[in-house]
Amino acid sequence: MSMIVLENVEKDYLHHGKKIPALRGVSLIIQSGEFSALAGPSGSGKTTLLNIIGGLDAPTAGSVTVDGTALTALSPRELADMRLRKIGFVFQAYNLIPVLSALENVEYVLLLQGLEKKERRERAEAVLTEVGLQDLMRRLPHELSGGQQQRVAVARAIVSAPAIVLADEPTANLDQKTGAMLMDIMHEMNLKKGITFLFSTHDPMVMERSERLIRLSDGNIVSDESKR
Amino acid sequence: MKIFFLIGWRNLWRNKRRSLVVISSIALGIFAMMFSMALMNGLNNQMVENTISTSLGHIAVQRAGFQDDMKLQNSFSPSETALQSLEQTPGILAYAPRIQLEGMIRSSEASRGVLIIGIDPEKEKSVSGIAEYLLPDQGGTFLLNRGDRELLISKTLAEKLDLMVGDKAVILFQDVDREISGAALNVRGLYQSPIDSFDKYVIYTGLDTLAKMAGIGNRISRIVVRTENRDAVDPVAAHLRAAVPDPGIEILTWKDMAPNLLSAVALFDAMMYIFFAIIFTTVVFSIANVLIMAVMERFHEIGVMKSIGTRPVWIGAMVVFEAVNLALAGLIAGVVPGLLLVGALSVTGIDFSFYMESVRVWGTGAVVYPSIKPMDVWVSALIVMGTTLTAAVYPAVKAARIKPLEALHFI
């Protein structure tokens, strides 16, 4: 089943009145349950592509469908609901809510979804235990290391069992060992829960561990290599 | 929504100093507002009470038309029905007859236009405070009976006329037949009321003495009624009007007799609210400024929250809750000391004797006892909450409209 379908997606930015193309007619299909990575040099368009798939940015032309829903037809509120229920995000800089504990950060998404307190608490505790943070749940983000914060971010992204997790340079701020551990956790979630993962990365380790590697250059897909 | 209240509360303490400055300004604002309200209540209350206590009483029973034209021809003899009603109406503490007419008092040194009031001294003690205003250190005493041929005048008037207790003064006025009538009477005592204008204008003598000099027989100008309290005035007046259905008799409350006093109180209240509006307009801008700063500081963070599915309205609510938390903290910090201070001052009073001339002009008395009503506290709280919510609107809308992608790129 196709989880993400991009057809001739173009994205132009205006800079001082001049049109700068970031994506030049990208077409791509990501199947459900894939563990894929977008790679390429800076400015190749991988983050732009990830933002468009996540509904954070709109394409200049082309169509984007995520889990059967055409994103270009959605209002800002519908896009917010789409991100809440179907998409998990992991950012390079962790981006946890600083005034909430690890547990509250993870629960936050479930709370927005309207789950009851008991269920929220159980699910958040379970997923934090899965990422190895069972003893640090009550800590605030600034009381955690970078790796621990990124594990909380992964837990937050997967706790609501989204259809897809989009991770923008998830290991960029982590050391090699911690990055590898994080990739193990995400791969385990991919295998156990069937969540589709799509990374944008510079990190060779992430490319190595991804099952499909899509290389971008200058706004175009230049290679698409499956390792399965 | 609870989570956004929690986030709002915790966000408040991320920049403790800034939040404390805003909380302090809210607390100071509400403290000043409550204190001003309490002081104004005390001033208004005492001004009204003193006017009732010196001249008006709570209710007056008099001949129709007397209020507009206080001449002797408008005197009357109370009917049995009226007197019985005064005895039997619940809520009446006491009543006393008065004759009052305009005339002149003359000493060997000077003369003044005055209002001469004839009183039954024993009954008058129950309806007015004139006996309490007597100055025993001046050597005088209160009038003894309604047939007394002596005068009670104010210390102010005595000084102007160069009179002392025991001196003789002449009173002159037109009697009921429009003939000049007068008598030389001894000054029996001096008084000082809290109202300067009253002191300059009012003198007392015995009721029967004045009736005889005026030629009105057993008629009087009015019956002054004292009720249990001011709240009882309207029901008692209504009861009396029903019990004495004589169109020739009018039963007026102090509010009917002194509409200018009510207007003054309303004017003071309006001025106070204008004063509050100025104070809280500045508070609105300081709160809005702080909230805008907080939103801008958390621009990236708000972008993340929106990225993971937080709706714009929830982001707005978070900012509003932050403002509500500021207001609640400010309210507690302002209301508690405000109530304690007003509570203490309502017992001890504030001595304005250093400002004696002004307080006597306004008739408030030298010591003012601030008083606060529960409604005042609620109004203050509502004003603060309304102010804060108004201040939160722009920052909340601004936060709600943050574009997640733009915010994610903002460091």
Side-chain angles (χ1 to χ4, degrees), chain A residues 13 51 56-57 77 80-81 83-84 89 91 95 97-101 104 108-109 111-112 140 156, chain B residues 1-4 6-7 10-11 14 300-301 304-312 314 404-405 408-409:
Chain A
Y13 292 109
N51 288 336
L56 296 172
D57 205 355
R77 184 182 158 165
D81 278 348
R83 291 195 294 269
L84 174 64
F89 285 91
F91 301 96
N95 289 336
I97 300 170
V99 292
L100 298 182
S101 68
E104 287 166 339
Y108 178 78
V109 178
L111 197 140
L112 295 185
L140 290 169
R156 180 177 68 181
Chain B
M1 280 294 174
K2 201 173 148 191
I3 187 73
F4 297 106
L6 180 75
I7 293 174
R10 291 186 186 169
N11 277 338
R14 287 166 77 172
H300 180 82
E301 190 179 312
V304 172
M305 290 174 80
K306 291 187 94 169
S307 302
I308 60 176
T310 310
R311 286 183 191 165
W314 294 336
L405 189 62
L408 283 173
H409 291 152

Side-chain angles (χ1 to χ4, degrees), chain A residues 6 8 27 57 78 87 89-90 99 121 131 144 199 205:
Chain A
L6 304 178
N8 293 317
S27 293
D57 205 355
E78 288 168 331
I87 304 171
F89 285 91
V90 178
V99 292
R121 187 53 54 100
V131 298
L144 298 169
F199 309 100
M205 185 272 293

